[in-house]
Amino acid sequence: MGLFTELKDSISRVTDRLFSEQEPKRIGIYGPPNAGKTTLANRIARDWTGDAIGTESHVPHETRRARRKENVEIERNGKTVTIDIVDTPGVTTKVDYEEFTDEMEEDDAIRRSREATEGVAEAMHWLREDVDGVIYVLDSAEDPITQVNTMLIGIIESRDLPVLIFANKIDLDDSSVKRIEDAFPQHKTIPLSAKEGENMDEVYENIAEYFG
């Protein structure tokens, strides 16, 4: 009976391991506000599932709750990976309601800032507990050396999570991919324009290879 029980337990462990390896990897899309995270999430989701994930906007903190698109299968160069995309709110050290007063009434701006602050906390929870890898999106027209970027990259590295840095908005005249490469030379940087769909083949090749 003891041998039978041990054999049964051994088979159960192997089966559990096989099924767990087949589960989609949760890939969090992180970065500062207005870097183009939701635009990228929508581009990936539409290309591989036909559906969008969330609303895109030029107003900061349009995404104030993490949104998830499950079972997105990406195939490139004979490699296939199935991922759950987690589009997270932009992370910042401070959310000021006055950022939004040009776009909305003061009461709405205050509510939006409160929701955005809660969204930052949720994004940090996902990063510390619930993602298997990270796509870190930066606006290539902005200075990448900020307190938020340094902090988030540090947390990602401390968790030993695989990370790809995407230098977004290369369609802008003042874009500088090299500035991002120089800021974080320890990680691979892929240039793209999520809005225009530029260089998405390289994006998908790296996702399939890196997270597969």
Side-chain angles (χ1 to χ4, degrees):
M1 180 65 72
L3 180 60
F4 176 79
T5 301
E6 290 178 7
L7 181 60
K8 182 179 178 182
D9 290 342
S10 177
I11 293 172
S12 177
R13 285 194 297 270
V14 171
T15 304
D16 289 344
R17 193 178 305 118
L18 286 172
F19 278 107
S20 66
E21 289 174 355
Q22 295 171 355
E23 290 179 356
K25 295 181 172 66
R26 289 167 303 211
I27 306 302
I29 299 181
Y30 278 82
N34 273 17
K37 297 179 298 300
T38 299
T39 303
L40 174 63
N42 283 340
R43 172 72 63 179
I44 296 172
R46 285 195 185 106
D47 283 353
W48 297 97
T49 72
D51 299 321
I53 292 180
T55 303
E56 302 167 23
S57 173
H58 69 281
V59 182
H61 301 287
E62 180 64 32
T63 302
R64 299 184 295 283
R65 286 289 180 272
R67 292 177 288 210
R68 184 169 169 173
K69 183 67 177 176
E70 298 181 339
N71 296 312
V72 179
E73 185 176 289
I74 296 173
E75 183 177 357
R76 272 295 184 274
N77 297 332
K79 295 186 177 182
T80 302
V81 62
T82 301
I83 62 175
D84 291 347
I85 300 172
V86 184
D87 179 27
T88 67
V91 176
T92 184
T93 54
K94 180 183 178 183
V95 182
D96 190 337
Y97 80 92
E98 292 182 352
E99 292 181 61
F100 314 116
T101 51
D102 289 341
E103 305 287 341
M104 61 192 69
E105 296 296 327
E106 183 173 319
D107 287 348
D108 293 331
I110 291 172
R111 181 173 61 254
R112 189 184 186 97
S113 67
R114 186 183 305 117
E115 291 172 351
T117 301
E118 294 170 354
V120 170
E122 182 186 18
M124 296 306 295
H125 171 80
W126 274 93
L127 182 58
R128 290 191 170 100
E129 305 290 340
D130 292 323
V131 295
D132 302 309
V134 173
I135 291 171
Y136 200 83
V137 182
L138 290 169
D139 181 343
S140 60
E142 299 289 339
D143 185 355
I145 302 177
T146 66
Q147 180 181 356
V148 167
N149 292 334
T150 302
M151 175 191 70
L152 286 176
I153 294 295
I155 292 172
I156 292 165
E157 291 173 343
S158 71
R159 286 207 57 213
D160 200 26
L161 291 170
V163 56
L164 289 171
I165 295 180
F166 285 1
N168 194 23
K169 304 188 182 183
I170 59 171
D171 53 298
L172 300 181
D173 290 339
D174 49 355
S175 165
S176 173
V177 176
K178 186 177 185 302
R179 184 165 49 189
I180 294 175
E181 292 174 332
D182 290 346
F184 304 106
Q186 70 273 37
H187 300 295
K188 187 168 187 179
T189 297
I190 297 102
L192 75 149
S193 170
K195 179 181 178 181
E196 302 298 333
E198 291 184 45
N199 206 37
M200 292 307 295
D201 281 341
E202 185 178 354
V203 166
Y204 295 139
E205 287 170 8
N206 278 277
I207 290 176
E209 179 175 352
Y210 211 68
F211 300 122

